[in-house]
Amino acid sequence: VIDAYNARDVDNLHAGPGFRWTLVLSSDQLAAFEWIRQNTARQAIVQMEPIVRERDSWSLIPSFAQRHMSAGLPISLLRVPAYHDTSERVKTIFASADAHEACEIAHRLHIHYLYVDGTDRSEYPATGKFDTSPQYFKPIFRRRTVGVYEVR
């Protein structure tokens, strides 16, 4: 009952204790999540960078695109070192300027697609490699700062 009540409260934009009460998504993000649902296999691994989003919005892909991720930092569970370690490997995919290295890490984590938005682009300037290295990452969806890339 409490969750049903809280889920209706979308006007509270204040910070909660370590998370935001309401997460506002852009129309570009929503379009990308819809594209992922409609155009990727249900068993596909679609990864976003979880560390920059922290524990309040790391789960956009499972929640809105209905796909699995290789790494994340769940809020409801205790801090598990394996979750953090895998998330750090994903962070390297986004932070590294070396497209080959990023692609190799993605393959080792069985990632099929990467989701990138303005959060990633502002935190990690090296995300430009996803647009300039089609031999490693094929751009398959783009709307302003939001993109989805197939790992090759």
Side-chain angles (χ1 to χ4, degrees):
V1 172
I2 291 171
D3 284 345
Y5 176 80
N6 288 339
R8 291 191 326 237
D9 183 11
V10 295
D11 296 321
N12 186 352
L13 300 178
H14 300 291
F19 59 90
R20 292 174 280 179
W21 288 110
T22 302
L23 185 62
V24 178
L25 302 176
S26 71
S27 61
D28 297 336
Q29 290 173 301
L30 294 172
F33 299 144
E34 177 68 19
W35 188 94
I36 291 167
R37 279 194 309 275
Q38 298 298 320
N39 296 283
T40 64
R42 292 188 68 73
Q43 69 275 16
I45 304 297
V46 181
Q47 186 66 53
M48 66 187 328
E49 200 286 280
I51 294 174
V52 71
R53 290 172 175 79
E54 300 182 356
R55 295 171 69 95
D56 70 347
S57 61
W58 70 271
S59 69
L60 294 176
I61 296 298
S63 298
F64 295 98
Q66 300 173 359
R67 294 296 179 268
H68 294 285
M69 295 194 324
S70 185
L73 299 170
I75 192 171
S76 60
L77 302 174
L78 298 174
R79 292 193 185 268
V80 177
Y83 293 160
H84 182 73
D85 294 345
T86 307
S87 293
E88 283 290 338
R89 290 169 59 199
V90 169
K91 178 180 176 180
T92 300
I93 294 171
F94 287 76
S96 174
D98 185 337
H100 177 74
E101 174 191 31
C103 187
E104 289 296 315
I105 295 169
H107 282 289
R108 284 195 298 271
L109 294 174
H110 308 286
I111 296 169
H112 302 109
Y113 302 93
L114 294 173
Y115 168 90
V116 180
D117 66 18
T119 298
D120 306 300
R121 294 183 197 284
S122 64
E123 183 71 19
Y124 305 111
T127 56
K129 70 181 166 288
F130 300 133
D131 292 305
T132 60
S133 303
Q135 69 275 31
Y136 300 115
F137 304 100
K138 179 182 177 184
I140 54 176
F141 174 90
R142 183 72 187 249
R143 188 179 286 181
R144 288 184 273 278
T145 63
V146 179
V148 178
Y149 303 87
E150 181 180 14
V151 178
R152 298 189 133 191

